[in-house]
Amino acid sequence: MGFANAKPNAIALAALGLRDGENLLELGCGPGHALQALLRDPHLKRAIGLDWSETMLARAARRNQPALETGRLALVRGDFASLPFDDGSADAVLAVNVVYFMTRAAVGEARRVLRPGGRLVLYATHGSAMRRWPFAGRHSHRLFDRKRLTALLAEAGFARDRIRIDDVDAGFGVSGLLAVATKETASAHQPECCAEEGDEIDEDGRSRCCCAQPSSARNASKAKYLIA
């Protein structure tokens, strides 16, 4: 899987455009390949990798032990939909090949932890490619095209004029989507529609939901820990 993610990781990291002294959160850090590449960038001040799998976190810790020891990296076990971080605490959020498992509330959490002007960089394999893979159908993954991915980001609170999605070549003949969504500096924007967790997006790109308040609450009972 690390080999298959190599090009998507490289594409997403190039889009980050890290600047001096920035802090980054990676959602679904897995075994830590992207974190390893990020930590080579001298602009990065500190990174946090979050995953639910203890096995993946242990592998990421082994791969990036020197950065853990210096405090430049932290690894946290947590849930995408209830991030154990303060509002506006990250300059950038990275999410490669994990949006298939993210609800609107989870993307809203990524937006919440971004500072004003911060960006979410997200890669997803195009749904047209994933439909051909028996392990990645609608039974287990949310599938995306440009319209559906734009809708999810907008419903999570990102202004549509601050969302950019490009078609990219992910290698091995696979097409992908690279999204960069920037959190607006003004706080007036609200999500167009706030889906309940587990709601699906219709074929026209809108979620089946009634409007509700944006989710910003964190569930303190969620299991999480820091690997130092």
Side-chain angles (χ1 to χ4, degrees):
M1 185 60 72
F3 182 74
N5 278 337
K7 189 166 184 180
N9 278 337
I11 291 168
L13 295 183
L16 277 171
L18 287 174
R19 296 180 284 272
D20 283 339
E22 288 198 316
N23 295 308
L24 175 138
L25 167 65
E26 184 183 10
L27 300 178
C29 65
H33 291 289
L35 289 171
Q36 185 177 41
L38 279 164
L39 289 162
R40 299 190 190 107
D41 191 327
H43 297 98
L44 180 69
K45 179 180 179 182
R46 189 168 187 260
I48 297 177
L50 180 136
D51 207 289
W52 186 252
S53 167
E54 295 183 20
T55 300
M56 290 294 104
L57 288 170
R59 291 175 63 185
R62 289 193 297 271
R63 177 165 280 108
N64 298 286
Q65 191 62 41
L68 284 170
E69 292 173 355
T70 64
R72 194 162 174 246
L73 172 66
L75 296 173
V76 176
R77 183 170 186 258
D79 186 338
F80 295 157
S82 183
L83 297 178
F85 310 115
D86 292 337
D87 296 1
S89 57
D91 297 294
V93 174
L94 177 67
V96 175
N97 274 329
V98 296
V99 70
Y100 326 114
F101 316 110
M102 296 176 73
T103 63
R104 193 278 314 166
V107 180
E109 278 287 272
R111 179 182 176 276
R112 176 185 65 77
V113 302
L114 282 171
R115 64 164 175 80
R119 65 272 186 211
L120 167 65
V121 175
L122 183 155
Y123 168 84
T125 297
H126 199 286
S128 62
M130 295 187 68
R131 288 187 185 94
R132 302 195 297 266
W133 301 341
F135 62 87
R138 290 183 180 274
H139 62 286
S140 58
H141 293 62
R142 302 179 73 182
L143 305 184
F144 292 94
D145 56 19
R146 182 189 294 262
K147 185 175 182 179
R148 290 165 65 85
L149 187 54
T150 299
L152 177 64
L153 291 166
E155 290 165 2
F158 289 101
R160 285 181 178 267
D161 62 357
R162 306 302 299 276
I163 299 170
R164 174 179 173 176
I165 298 180
D166 294 318
D167 296 305
V168 295
D169 175 8
F172 306 103
V174 174
S175 59
L177 298 167
L178 177 70
V180 180
T182 304
K183 185 174 180 178
E184 66 281 1
T185 53
S187 60
H189 180 75
Q190 296 293 341
E192 296 174 3
C193 182
C194 302
E196 295 295 331
E197 184 161 344
D199 280 357
E200 296 181 355
I201 295 177
D202 285 321
E203 291 302 324
D204 64 358
R206 301 292 301 175
S207 68
R208 305 186 189 102
C209 66
C210 59
C211 288
Q213 292 297 317
S215 173
S216 62
R218 275 75 69 201
N219 185 347
S221 67
K222 293 286 184 181
K224 55 184 178 288
Y225 59 83
L226 181 68
I227 299 179

